[in-house]
């Protein structure tokens, strides 16, 4: 019997207690406050962000908690239960972009980078130092964005401690202010941590709403909150962390980006989103577009991006027209088909899937999932399956068994609901 490890999210009480305890045992005394931010899972819209496209993430109930106390100098001291418990010290005046002599290394760069970026963006001046204790129930390196959860928790912490007035209150979050925090967190990850990611992760973590998926327009950062209550329709979104290494920063990601940029420039458009808009408006066809491209590789990559943006639109329309209990029958079938088509496109045209991801998808489908796909950048990481709530255990057990039989590391299972943003 294969073991099934269910990674349940901590509630706010538990997360806060754990962070406070780590703070006190590390630094003595009590923190000034505890802040948290969620990981995310993308329902559909993959590899669209850097093409000016659309994505549809939800914030996970799994969050990173940071207990912090303000310091009177420009030093940050950091400890994380996920990083061995050693205290790392960083001088905020010595933080600089990756590759420069003042480079900060390791996980501290995600924290120090946020302070650097807030100052670079003109959102803060001379931020105070902080003592920080980090705990998290977001799996790291699983494509569920533990990196954004860490950045965004730290960003709202500094917002409060240094009185930046950007995040707004829990009752009334400021979306405009949060968009600016998103930009700072993206710069921290790109320029200080040195990971080339688009802005979807940070937008989901800072701007999502509980009970809603976040339709993100990656061209201008506009968002729409799409009601999502799968439980009302008797459904469950199962997230499977395959525990296969994903390497975003690796060359493959950069190559996909470069191919898309080359295709857009050949077509004379600012980004591939423009192509998707034109096909959706019936101004041209995908076939016409593909015929103008350089080679089969460009054609396959463009076909993925354009059809993926179309799928996001189609899926969102179904969710909007069939909220809550109405997501059954034909509408549900169409949502499932969009998820399946997204996976097949990522596997065959974009070539970013992995054996483990394909296995989850195949097994979930064989056990009655309405749809299943890899999620995140690919080459490992996580997959999602939209299943009947009363068959979730069956799918979970079947996936665990299949991994066991294939001699793969046991995967982790996360029951996902659309949770609230950083606060
Ligand atoms: P993902 O965002 O998909 O989890 P990334 O590779 O983007 O994967 O980010 C993982 C990195 O983020 C870790 O290697 C670590 O540097 C940092 N990180 C995330 N969560 C924590 C944490 N709780 N404590 C320390 N570092 C963390
Ligand atoms: Mg990440």
């Amino acid at each position: 019997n294969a073991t099934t490890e269910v990674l349940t999210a901590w509630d706010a009480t538990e997360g806060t207690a754990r962070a406070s305890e780590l703070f006190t045992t590390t630094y003595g005394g009590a923190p000034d406050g505890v802040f948290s931010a969620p990981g995310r899972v993308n329902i559909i819209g993959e590899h669209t962000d850097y093409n000016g496209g659309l994505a549809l993430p939800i914030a996970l109930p799994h969050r990173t908690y940071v207990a912090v106390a303000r310091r009177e100098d420009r030093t940050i001291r950091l400890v994380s239960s996920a990083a061995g418990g050693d205290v790392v010290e960083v001088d905020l005046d010595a933080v600089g972009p990756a590759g420069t002599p003042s480079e900060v290394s390791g996980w501290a760069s995600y924290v120090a980078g946020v302070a650097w970026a807030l100052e670079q963006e003109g959102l803060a001046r001379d931020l105070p130092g902080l003592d920080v204790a980090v705990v998290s129930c977001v799996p790291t390196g699983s494509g569920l964005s533990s990196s954004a959860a860490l950045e965004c928790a730290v960003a709202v912490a500094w917002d409060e401690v240094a009185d930046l007035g950007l995040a707004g209150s829990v009752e009334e979050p400021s979306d405009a202010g949060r968009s600016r925090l998103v930009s700072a967190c993206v710069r921290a990850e790109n320029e200080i941590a040195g990971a080339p990611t688009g802005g979807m992760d940070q937008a989901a973590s800072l701007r999502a709403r509980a009970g809603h998926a976040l339709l993100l327009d990656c061209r201008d950062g506009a968002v729409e909150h799409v009601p999502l209550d799968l439980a009302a329709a008797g459904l469950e979104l199962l997230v499977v962390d395959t525990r296969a290494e994903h390497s975003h920063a690796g060359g493959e990601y950069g190559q996909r980006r470069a191919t898309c940029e080359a295709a857009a420039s050949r077509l004379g458009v600012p980004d591939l989103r423009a192509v998707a808009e034109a096909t959706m408006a019936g101004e041209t066809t995908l076939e016409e577009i593909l015929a103008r491209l350089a080679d089969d590789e460009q054609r396959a990559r463009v076909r993925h991006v354009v059809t993926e943006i179309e799928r996001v639109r189609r899926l969102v329309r179904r969710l909007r027209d069939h909220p809550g209990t109405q997501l059954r029958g034909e509408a549900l079938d169409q949502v499932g088909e969009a998820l399946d088509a997204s996976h097949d496109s990522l596997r065959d045209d974009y070539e970013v899937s992995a054996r483990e991801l394909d296995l989850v998808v195949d097994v979930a489908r064989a056990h009655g999932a309405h749809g299943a796909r890899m999620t995140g950048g690919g080459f490992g990481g996580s997959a999602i399956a939209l299943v009947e709530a009363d068959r979730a255990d069956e799918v979970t057990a079947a996936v665990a068994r299949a991994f066991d039989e294939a001699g793969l590391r046991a995967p982790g299972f996360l029951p996902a609901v659309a949770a609230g943003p950083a606060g």
Side-chain angles (χ1 to χ4, degrees):
N1 247 355
T3 50
T4 58
E5 189 185 346
V6 179
L7 309 168
T8 42
W10 301 334
D11 64 16
T13 310
E14 182 175 2
T16 304
R18 285 179 185 247
S20 301
E21 190 190 326
L22 180 62
F23 184 96
T24 302
T25 55
T26 308
Y27 307 115
D32 295 340
V34 179
F35 302 84
S36 70
R40 63 98 188 94
V41 68
N42 193 22
I43 295 176
I44 197 160
E46 218 66 77
H47 285 279
T48 54
D49 57 353
Y50 52 83
N51 287 300
L54 304 168
L56 190 73
I58 58 170
L60 286 170
H62 302 72
R63 299 174 80 91
T64 294
Y65 292 81
V66 299
V68 308
R70 183 193 171 104
R71 295 171 58 92
E72 294 312 317
D73 58 14
R74 292 266 292 166
T75 298
I76 51 176
R77 289 195 296 176
L78 307 169
V79 67
S80 168
S81 57
D86 287 342
V87 177
V88 182
E89 260 190 54
V90 179
D91 174 1
L92 285 181
D93 291 314
V95 180
T100 65
S102 49
E103 183 175 341
V104 201
S105 66
W107 72 275
S109 59
Y110 291 90
V111 178
V114 171
W116 175 87
L118 286 169
E119 293 177 355
Q120 290 288 314
E121 295 270 297
L123 299 172
R125 281 181 59 193
D126 300 322
L127 281 172
L130 289 180
D131 285 337
V132 185
V134 183
V135 299
S136 182
C137 61
V138 184
T140 53
S142 301
L144 301 175
S145 228
S146 67
S147 57
L150 177 57
E151 291 149 15
C152 297
V154 166
V156 294
W158 255 308
D159 180 63
E160 173 81 17
V161 166
D163 212 5
L164 306 182
L166 292 165
S169 63
V170 174
E171 301 74 32
E172 256 183 87
S174 158
D175 195 58
R178 282 168 179 256
S179 299
R180 307 188 75 180
L181 293 177
V182 168
S183 306
C185 291
V186 171
R187 282 193 72 181
E189 181 144 353
N190 288 172
E191 295 176 48
I192 304 299
T197 57
M200 190 226 309
D201 306 352
Q202 294 82 358
S205 191
L206 281 158
R207 299 174 71 193
R209 275 194 205 153
H212 295 75
L214 186 79
L215 175 60
L216 176 65
D217 186 327
C218 302
R219 205 181 235 182
D220 57 8
V223 297
E224 181 191 324
H225 302 281
V226 183
L228 184 73
D229 184 357
L230 295 173
L235 300 168
E236 190 174 309
L237 187 70
L238 186 65
V239 179
V240 183
D241 172 6
T242 66
R243 296 190 163 137
E245 287 290 312
H246 77 126
S247 50
H248 251 307
E252 297 279 354
Y253 180 87
Q255 277 175 25
R256 296 299 181 283
R257 267 185 101 132
T259 303
C260 290
E261 277 159 27
S265 101
R266 189 178 171 98
L267 294 166
V269 292
D271 51 34
L272 295 181
R273 167 73 174 282
V275 176
E277 291 300 332
T279 58
M280 287 188 288
E283 291 160 12
T284 183
T285 63
L286 185 56
E287 287 64 36
E288 275 168 18
I289 294 292
L290 298 182
R292 291 165 55 196
L293 293 173
D295 52 37
D296 284 347
E297 183 181 293
Q298 258 189 16
R299 279 188 275 278
R301 306 299 190 238
V302 170
R303 185 163 52 223
H304 166 71
V305 173
V306 172
T307 58
E308 184 78 354
I309 294 170
E310 293 172 354
R311 281 187 288 272
V312 178
R313 281 264 188 250
R314 212 176 315 133
L315 193 149
V316 165
R317 216 174 298 131
R318 296 295 170 270
L319 293 180
R320 252 196 238 118
D321 294 347
H322 303 273
T325 55
Q326 295 171 38
L327 191 63
R328 301 295 315 176
E330 202 185 335
L332 176 55
D333 291 343
Q334 288 168 342
V335 166
E337 279 160 22
L339 298 176
D340 285 343
S342 171
H343 183 78
D344 297 352
S345 174
L346 287 158
R347 183 192 58 209
D348 301 335
D349 277 344
Y350 222 63
E351 298 183 272
V352 293
S353 191
R355 176 185 171 211
E356 293 86 347
L357 296 167
D358 293 341
L359 186 58
V360 175
V361 165
D362 292 344
V363 172
R365 287 176 185 170
H367 285 266
H370 294 285
R373 61 180 289 270
M374 55 158 278
T375 183
F379 304 109
S382 297
I384 57 172
L386 182 61
V387 300
E388 290 295 310
D390 60 13
R391 292 187 72 179
D393 287 348
E394 176 195 336
V395 175
T396 301
V399 170
R401 203 164 358 125
F403 271 58
D404 190 44
E405 282 165 11
L408 297 167
R409 249 182 98 184
F413 299 89
L414 297 80
V417 294

